Amino acid sequence: MSEGGIKIRASVPAKAILFGEHFVVYGKRALATALNLRLNVEVSDRVGSEGGYHLIVENIPSFGLQMDLRGVDTDADADAQPHPQPFLNYGEASRAIAYIRCAIQYMERRYGHRVEGGGGGGRGVEIRVSSEIPLSAGLGSSAAVSVATIAALKRYFGLWNGDLEELRADAHRVEEAVQGKASPTDTAISTYGGYVVIEGGEVKRLHDLPEIELVTGSITTIPLGAGAEHLSELRLKTRKLVEAVKARKEAFSSVFEYIASAADVLTVEAIEALRRHDLARVGSLMNINHGLLDAIGVVPRELSELVKLAQDAGALGAKVTGAGGLPELGGTGTVIALPAEGQSAKLETVMGLTGASVRNLRTKARGLVVDVEENRCS
Ligand code: PMV
């Protein structure tokens, strides 16, 4: 297919909640930051095509492979080749596609932009997504794909007016349309980058906090024995965990109020400690926050072990980030650990021993970046 004249590339960061997840649902404060893992959406002309939108989803971090190992050590099956199957990838890629479809429909309804499909010889639009952000790991991949798609389409259709808050609100509506309920945190981080504090449902940017190093460990593999019903539950993980916390809150209302208030105070103290670059204190507060998350039942064994290993390996602090995990989904989720000076390589090695996918990342990453490539012949 011949490529046409214009290509828009929108790139956005991943997010991590540093303090206050879950309690933020009850009006307490939370602190989130952008990580230097990026998702890119490219929108370009597709000349001479059938028209309509052509979508390519490439290079999204895998949920692992499953393969049948018959034939590995028996002569009878010596010629049989193992057939690696992308495990869960199709389902998860289709989830990414749901956000892109919804973004296209949203653009048509809100801004009246329609790309005619069919007919041949027409002009279509190609949308190409590539990502470093693991899916369903609490690192904001859904918001990232929504923000980047809307930003690239707006720019492509000449609707870009530089209003980032309008873009964030557009992407937030797309997230809500696909998943029902969405917190404003993720779209704010994808759009603005840096740090944000969420308070009473409002998002405020914090410009005076320093960039720090974090080691993340994501458990993204689901046990092969998990039934199909569990696999489809993966995309509902956050919702299920939020509901489980609500049930616990109702069952232990007075105790929960103390825990939530402690989380709120802790978030404020952590912001102050970060501002002073007192990383030892930030780390201790992460450990306490993790304990509070454990108390409300969102820390499965796999994530708990990862946190303990990081703490034992000398991390200044470690905690679950985001919604947490469910035992029936193999504890899928992410842990963040704050390395002591010069200790990140050791921390990465130790955390990697669990089979988690480990990354050395930095906070305060840049928000949305849009590039335009014009390639017209004169
Ligand atoms: O794991 P994530 O990225 O879906 O984060 C969820 C964070 C919660 O506080 C549990 C819910 C929310 O909407 O803030």
Side-chain angles (χ1 to χ4, degrees), residues 29 41 81 106 133 158 165 189 198 234 244 255 258 342 366 377:
R29 281 164 284 200
V41 172
Q81 293 296 316
Y106 177 83
I133 308 175
E165 190 44 34
I189 284 292
I198 305 99
L234 188 61
V255 178
Y258 284 110
R366 209 171 154 194
C377 300

Side-chain angles (χ1 to χ4, degrees), residues 158-173:
L159 295 166
W160 180 242
N161 58 8
D163 184 343
L164 287 177
E165 190 44 34
E166 182 186 276
L167 169 72
R168 192 200 66 73
D170 286 338
H172 184 62
R173 283 187 210 108

Side-chain angles (χ1 to χ4, degrees), residues 15-17 20-25 30 95 136-142 175 179 181-186 198 237-239 241-242 245 293 298 321-324 333-334:
K15 73 98 217 244
I17 300 183
E21 54 274 89
H22 281 291
F23 305 106
V24 69
V25 174
R95 183 178 172 213
S136 294
L139 294 177
S141 60
S142 316
E175 265 214 297
Q179 67 197 37
K181 203 169 177 289
S183 90
T185 321
D186 295 20
I198 305 99
K237 190 188 82 172
T238 297
R239 195 189 295 182
L241 281 159
V242 168
V245 170
L293 289 170
V298 299
T321 182
T334 298

Side-chain angles (χ1 to χ4, degrees), residues 6 24 32 37 60 69-70 96 100 104 118 124 134 254 256 310 359 372:
I6 190 160
V24 69
L37 275 182
I60 288 190
L69 285 179
R70 266 177 317 143
I100 295 160
I104 291 168
S254 46
F256 186 93
R359 296 174 175 83
V372 181

Side-chain angles (χ1 to χ4, degrees), residues 188-267:
I189 284 292
S190 293
T191 306
Y192 295 115
Y195 285 94
V196 300
V197 63
I198 305 99
E199 188 169 0
E202 296 292 312
V203 176
K204 202 172 109 200
R205 297 173 71 190
L206 293 179
H207 296 284
D208 59 347
L209 301 184
E211 179 187 311
I212 59 171
E213 184 181 20
L214 287 179
V215 176
T216 63
S218 296
I219 294 177
T220 55
T221 329
I222 296 212
L224 282 176
E229 73 283 6
H230 285 147
L231 302 186
S232 63
E233 276 172 9
L234 188 61
R235 66 194 178 83
L236 302 175
K237 190 188 82 172
T238 297
R239 195 189 295 182
K240 287 189 82 171
L241 281 159
V242 168
E243 277 165 13
V245 170
K246 184 164 175 257
R248 192 165 278 221
K249 174 181 180 287
E250 280 159 14
F252 301 95
S253 55
S254 46
V255 178
F256 186 93
E257 193 39 54
Y258 284 110
I259 301 174
S261 299
D264 188 58
V265 175
L266 193 150
T267 300

